[in-house]
């Protein structure tokens, strides 16, 4: 079992920045990718980004490329999502998730992830 806890959400004006954190506990050995997804009201949960265990591969959704940066901390059971140049359409609940295939599968699919956090709200006003 892995427990994931996100933090750092909040409200910001368009053009602003936020930094989300995700801390994993429990089974933290074995190497896993850490992904971020988001879900806006009435919409499906969508892929944002993922980073492999060693940080050697990173993938981003087109909608956030150049604005968001994912990273892993030290120890590796932490991950961060730096969000810059935020837009109102970035408003959503953001979730981190652990992928024990280490992004070797369909990393953009929610089905690929084994454990999820409870989510943190990000609201961007215009």
């Amino acid at each position: 079992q892995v427990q994931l806890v996100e933090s750092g959400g909040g409200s910001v004006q368009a053009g602003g920045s936020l930094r989300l954190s995700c801390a994993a506990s429990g089974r933290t050995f074995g190497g896993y990718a850490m992904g971020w997804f988001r879900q806006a009201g009435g919409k499906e949960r969508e892929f944002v980004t993922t980073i492999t265990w060693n940080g050697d591969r990173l993938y981003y959704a087109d909608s956030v490329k150049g604005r968001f940066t994912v990273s892993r901390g030290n120890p590796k059971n932490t991950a961060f999502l730096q969000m810059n140049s935020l837009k109102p359409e970035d408003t959503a609940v953001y979730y981190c998730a652990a992928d024990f295939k280490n992004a070797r599968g369909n990393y953009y699919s929610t089905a690929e992830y084994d454990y999820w956090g409870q989510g943190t709200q990000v609201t961007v006003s215009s």
Side-chain angles (χ1 to χ4, degrees):
Q1 287 286 340
V2 174
Q3 294 78 43
L4 300 171
V5 179
E6 304 96 336
S7 61
S11 298
V12 65
Q13 288 193 327
S17 299
L18 283 173
R19 187 180 192 230
L20 305 184
S21 301
C22 179
S25 60
R27 173 195 169 191
T28 55
F29 57 90
Y32 53 91
M34 194 82 88
W36 289 93
F37 284 73
R38 66 187 181 186
Q39 188 167 20
K43 297 185 178 181
E44 291 188 354
R45 194 168 298 189
E46 65 174 3
F47 171 76
V48 175
T49 181
T50 194
I51 181 169
T52 52
W53 178 253
N54 289 321
D56 55 336
R57 287 179 290 128
L58 297 82
Y59 303 101
Y60 293 94
D62 288 345
S63 58
V64 306
K65 279 181 182 176
R67 300 188 298 122
F68 291 11
T69 303
V70 64
S71 61
R72 293 196 85 130
N74 186 16
K76 293 179 181 177
N77 62 328
T78 56
F80 305 97
L81 181 63
Q82 178 66 42
M83 305 186 295
N84 298 329
S85 302
L86 282 161
K87 304 175 182 180
E89 50 264 43
D90 294 318
T91 295
V93 177
Y94 283 71
Y95 299 89
C96 66
D99 167 17
F100 277 85
K101 299 181 186 70
N102 203 26
R104 293 187 179 91
N106 296 329
Y107 56 82
Y108 45 84
S109 170
T110 58
E112 201 69 5
Y113 293 78
D114 304 282
Y115 299 97
W116 292 84
Q118 82 290 348
T120 185
Q121 176 72 44
V122 171
T123 302
V124 184
S125 58
S126 57

